[in-house]
Amino acid sequence: MSDANIRIPADARDRLAEIAAGEGLSLRAYLARLAETLLTPAERAERADKARAVLREWNGYDPDQDEQSELDAELDRRMAEAGAM
């Protein structure tokens, strides 16, 4: 595998290196593991589609786009409220 250079602020690099060291990893290994565990937007959308299909099959739950937008807004509101605590 070839390496790539990524330019980030030194304080961000130092923080990531400290987090990696706390987990017994080099910064390189930590970032590689992070890249393997996070989902891309396309992967998240695919999982969401699969979850909606399962819910639709299981109990008929099938919100339209407006309902999904309202639910997303409600979730965002609740997450912001929980973060303010």
Side-chain angles (χ1 to χ4, degrees):
M1 172 186 356
S2 63
D3 288 340
N5 291 320
I6 300 171
R7 296 181 60 85
I8 62 171
D11 57 337
R13 179 206 57 217
D14 295 345
R15 180 173 172 76
L16 289 169
E18 185 177 343
I19 293 167
E23 296 188 27
L25 297 170
S26 67
L27 179 54
R28 182 180 189 273
Y30 177 78
L31 292 174
R33 185 183 73 181
L34 186 64
E36 291 171 3
T37 59
L38 295 176
L39 299 175
T40 66
E43 291 166 334
R44 284 194 308 272
E46 181 182 352
R47 283 194 180 187
D49 289 342
K50 287 180 182 179
R52 280 190 295 274
V54 167
L55 286 170
R56 186 173 39 254
E57 183 179 320
W58 176 56
N59 67 3
Y61 181 72
D62 191 16
D64 62 26
Q65 188 60 42
D66 288 339
E67 290 171 314
Q68 285 182 25
S69 295
E70 289 175 22
L71 292 168
D72 287 345
E74 177 66 13
L75 179 59
D76 290 343
R77 185 190 67 74
R78 289 182 184 209
M79 293 294 291
E81 188 177 281
M85 294 180 170

